[in-house]
């Protein structure tokens, strides 16, 4: 076999289209440097799209959204590492909507390849897709790609600025640039003379090189270390400005009610009761709902709830049972894709083999961000400013401009820090509604805030999903795994809303977390079936891996049990020859958890592993039967993120991913009745509380040359690790979620 590895016809077609497309129309776009979008005033100099030097010092422009995941601090560290500025002197701000801030990594991550075993050819295809991200102006925070995308370009921004400042200083000091060094915002000559970046910035703009030498990791002073978060003080003191804090002078407040039967129209409404409420200033017909503008948010919410509305019927089955019957019906059609096809899953089994089957079902889930969706807009007739937490500023600007009939360049988007995103703020619905309402209130800023109920019942949900697995073991080893997975397509819906087209071909997001796992099973097939439903679904933390991790790792555990094997050792035997990096992670979590040591009485242990977003993650969970219920006692996480840019931040992300996954596993469920979502607030859609949290230990490994994902990979193994622990304790398999339906959990 050639070093390019086995290339299927499907892979060749996908890759060929990307490469030929680049040759045909993308090479110019790929090589062209996007314009610097930063506008500067008196006393300010922008050396590139990521850096402004003003009279106070250095501002680093971070192109990705800060949703609590620490992205902006680590992106700033990439620049600061090369620029030589003191950490305490750094200021950060989110970049404006601009082509310069495109995410070149996000499309490559969507290719239908096993990320743990990329061939040289597959890697080159992903790299060539960088230009498509630029062409489509994909300024997106998502897919756990911020570090992968920024790792080189942000360091290069700092390095080129450093060399320009040295060149400017060299001209003033009459010395060679190579004789100068930089430190804490100063250029220093061999004789001790110093010039500050502030005084050099204007001249440095005339000396900007196209590239510069990047420092070796051995020389790093910020990267690879736990650095204080740059937003830590403002968030701790309540001075950080979130979208929901926006309150421009003269602002009015809006609330909306949109048809709870998602995607359907409003037939009629009677707003007489709302019109009689003091402080109500305007009632707006939105077509599929109604908005109220009032003197405060609470009044607007009360008034919009007082409107009597007749709604149209849902364009999907009316209740949860019928919806899942439609999902299950997808198995009767042809698969969208078969992305894993090792060996022959239909071949006769060896003599003495034990065959097992299992069917799993997972519910729809909401994002339930702590900060509800909100947006503040001011429309002046020929321009508009909109302030809203979002993950797609360039696309959001385009959508808002179209909604009010303006050119995109006439719309200013301000992206503040956010109280959670998890993929929900990739959607533009709230911002577009705010823009439409603001147009009806020309000259007056309007702040739209979704009530918690409106937010919960008009989400773009993690799709409900079902899986059918068959497999077999012989002589203590897995010899077959054949999985079929049915759900709505997040990729098709999401791309249609954001980009205006739905991608055809193999849907990787639908099968990720199942087809791309590093297990050497001789006969291994994973097929995806797309359910025909119009329920709005969207990108939810870890996307397809959030359900496939549960399906795949639950069934691996069932195979181990059928083989009479230790679950962790069973996985390791399948993994060692397939991917050493993944095996090391699994070995590490075993050591951390004392897997091979005797368990305490009334205790169960479970293990799960998922390779997602380029990162292998293994988790072990211990549960304890207290006599009054089952408590989640301890959790252990091991991960390998390639290059560890900030170990403390990676640890926090793994911890957060675990909590998000355990919340969904234990209680998360969105159900439907009469076409509408039944849950509306945290009392009926809860998260894991502090009192129910296990003790958590995290080990962060780094064995690569580039960083991989951290924000999402901690989520997929959480549910199967817990379910497998419950089996170890009770002997009962969990084949559906949430677990609270079948186990007496202390929550």
């Amino acid at each position: 076999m050639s070093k390019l590895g086995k290339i299927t016809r499907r892979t060749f077609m996908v890759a060929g289209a990307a490469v030929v497309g680049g040759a045909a129309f993308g090479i110019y776009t790929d090589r062209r440097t996007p314009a610097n979008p930063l506008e500067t005033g008196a006393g300010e100099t922008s050396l590139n799209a990521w850096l402004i030097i003003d009279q106070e010092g250095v501002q680093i422009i971070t192109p990705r959204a800060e949703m609590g995941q620490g992205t902006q601090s680590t992106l700033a560290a990439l620049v600061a590492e090369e620029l030589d500025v003191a950490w305490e002197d750094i200021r950060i701000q989110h970049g404006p909507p601009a082509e310069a801030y495109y995410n070149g990594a996000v499309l490559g991550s969507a290719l239908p390849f096993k990320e743990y075993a990329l061939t040289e050819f597959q890697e080159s295809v992903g790299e060539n897709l960088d230009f498509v991200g630029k062409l489509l102006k994909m300024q997106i925070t998502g897919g756990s790609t911020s570090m992968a995308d920024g790792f080189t370009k942000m360091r290069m921004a700092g390095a080129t600025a450093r060399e320009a400042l040295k060149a400017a200083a060299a001209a003033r000091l009459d010395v060679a640039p190579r004789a100068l060094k930089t430190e804490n915002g100063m250029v220093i000559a061999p004789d001790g003379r110093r010039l500050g970046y502030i005084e050099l910035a204007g001249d440095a703009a005339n000396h900007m090189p196209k590239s510069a030498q990047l420092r070796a990791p051995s020389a790093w002073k910020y990267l690879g270390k736990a650095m204080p978060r740059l937003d830590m003080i403002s968030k701790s003191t309540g001075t950080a400005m979130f979208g929901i804090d926006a309150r421009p002078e003269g602002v009015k407040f809006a609330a909306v009610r949109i048809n709870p039967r998602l995607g359907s129209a409003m037939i009629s409404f009677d707003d007489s009761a709302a019109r009689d409420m003091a402080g109500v200033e305007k009632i707006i017909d939105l077509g599929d709902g109604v908005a109220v503008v009032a003197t405060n948010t609470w009044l607007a919410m009360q008034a919009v709830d007082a409107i009597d509305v007749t709604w149209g019927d849902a364009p999907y089955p009316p209740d949860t049972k019928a919806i899942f019957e439609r999902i299950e019906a997808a198995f009767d059609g042809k698969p969208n894709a078969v992305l894993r096809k090792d060996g022959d899953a239909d071949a006769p089994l060896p003599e003495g083999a034990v065959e097992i089957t299992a069917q799993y079902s997972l519910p729809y889930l909401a994002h339930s961000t702590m900060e509800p969706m909100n947006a503040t807009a001011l429309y002046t007739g020929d321009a508009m400013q909109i302030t809203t937490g979002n993950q797609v500023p360039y696309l959001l600007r385009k959508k808002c401009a179209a909604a009010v009939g303006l050119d995109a360049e006439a719309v200013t988007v301000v992206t503040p820090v956010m109280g959670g995103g998890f993929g929900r703020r990739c959607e533009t619905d709230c911002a577009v509604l705010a823009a439409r309402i603001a147009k009806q209130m020309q000259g007056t800023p309007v702040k739209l805030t979704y009530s918690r109920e409106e937010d919960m019942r008009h989400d773009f949900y993690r799709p409900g999903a079902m899986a059918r697995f068959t497999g077999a073991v012989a002589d203590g080893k897995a010899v077959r795994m054949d999985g079929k997975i049915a759900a709505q397509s997040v990729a098709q819906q999401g791309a249609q809303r954001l980009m205006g087209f739905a991608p055809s071909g193999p849907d990787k997001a639908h099968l990720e977390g199942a087809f791309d796992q590093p297990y050497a099973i001789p006969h291994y097939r994973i097929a995806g079936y797309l359910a025909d439903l119009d329920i709005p679904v969207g990108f939810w933390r870890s996307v397809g891996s959030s359900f496939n991790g549960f399906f795949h790792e639950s069934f691996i555990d069932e195979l181990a049990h059928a083989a009479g094997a230790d679950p962790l050792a069973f996985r390791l035997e399948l993994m060692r020859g397939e991917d050493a990096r993944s095996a090391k992670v699994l070995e590490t979590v075993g050591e951390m958890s004392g897997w091979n040591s005797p368990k305490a009485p009334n205790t169960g242990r479970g293990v799960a592993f998922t390779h997602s977003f380029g990162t292998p993650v293994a988790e072990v969970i211990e549960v304890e039967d207290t006599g009054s219920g089952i408590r989640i006692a301890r959790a252990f996480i091991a991960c390998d993120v390639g290059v560890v840019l900030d170990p403390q931040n990676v640890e926090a992300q793994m911890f957060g991913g675990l909590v998000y996954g355990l919340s969904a596993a234990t209680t998360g469920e969105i159900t439907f009745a009469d076409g509408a979502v039944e849950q509306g607030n945290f009392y009926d859609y809860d998260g894991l509380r502090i009192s129910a949290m296990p003790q958590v230990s995290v080990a962060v490994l780094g064995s690569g040359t580039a960083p991989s994902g951290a924000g999402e990979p901690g989520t997929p193994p959480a549910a199967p690790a817990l379910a497998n622990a419950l089996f170890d304790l009770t002997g009962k398999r969990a084949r559906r979620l949430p677990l609270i339906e079948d186990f007496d959990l202390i929550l």
Side-chain angles (χ1 to χ4, degrees), residues 305-490:
D305 283 344
I307 298 174
D308 184 20
V309 185
T310 301
W311 303 112
D313 292 334
Y316 46 82
D319 56 46
T320 303
K321 181 176 182 294
I323 288 167
F324 273 83
E325 288 173 352
R326 182 78 67 82
I327 295 172
E328 189 168 22
F331 289 123
D332 297 332
K334 293 182 179 180
N336 161 266
V338 181
L339 293 185
R340 186 76 171 249
K341 198 173 182 180
D342 298 350
D344 182 0
D346 296 317
L349 292 172
E351 185 176 350
V354 177
E355 187 172 15
I356 63 171
T357 64
Q359 180 158 314
Y360 304 96
S361 179
L362 298 187
Y364 286 82
L365 295 173
H367 293 84
S368 61
T369 58
M370 190 58 65
E371 179 190 12
M373 299 300 291
N374 64 87
T376 301
L378 172 62
Y379 175 84
T380 61
D382 57 0
M384 182 170 65
Q385 175 170 311
I386 188 156
T387 300
T388 184
N390 74 92
Q391 297 173 238
V392 287
Y394 195 95
L395 295 171
L396 182 139
R397 181 179 71 168
K398 181 179 178 181
K399 297 278 188 182
C400 290
V404 298
L406 291 175
D407 292 335
E409 291 71 22
V411 177
T412 300
V413 175
V414 178
T415 303
V417 295
M418 304 164 216
F422 315 121
R424 176 64 178 94
R425 287 186 159 91
C426 285
E427 306 293 344
T428 62
D429 54 306
C430 184
V432 168
L433 284 175
R436 291 174 59 195
I437 295 167
K439 187 175 183 180
Q440 300 297 314
M441 300 288 292
Q442 183 170 335
T444 299
V446 178
K447 179 179 180 179
L448 169 63
T449 305
Y450 282 10
S451 68
R452 180 63 66 186
E453 289 73 17
E454 193 72 17
D455 195 352
M456 193 79 74
R457 292 171 181 155
H458 293 84
D459 204 343
F460 296 83
Y461 301 97
R462 199 289 301 275
M466 301 182 74
R468 294 173 176 173
F469 274 74
T470 64
V473 294
D475 299 324
K477 299 180 180 180
V479 295
R480 175 191 290 173
M481 174 182 277
D482 189 5
K484 299 177 179 180
I485 297 158
Q488 292 178 254
S489 172
V490 169

Side-chain angles (χ1 to χ4, degrees), residues 256 276 364 421 488 519 559 601 698 711:
V256 296
D276 291 339
Y364 286 82
Q488 292 178 254
Y519 293 118
L559 287 173
V698 182

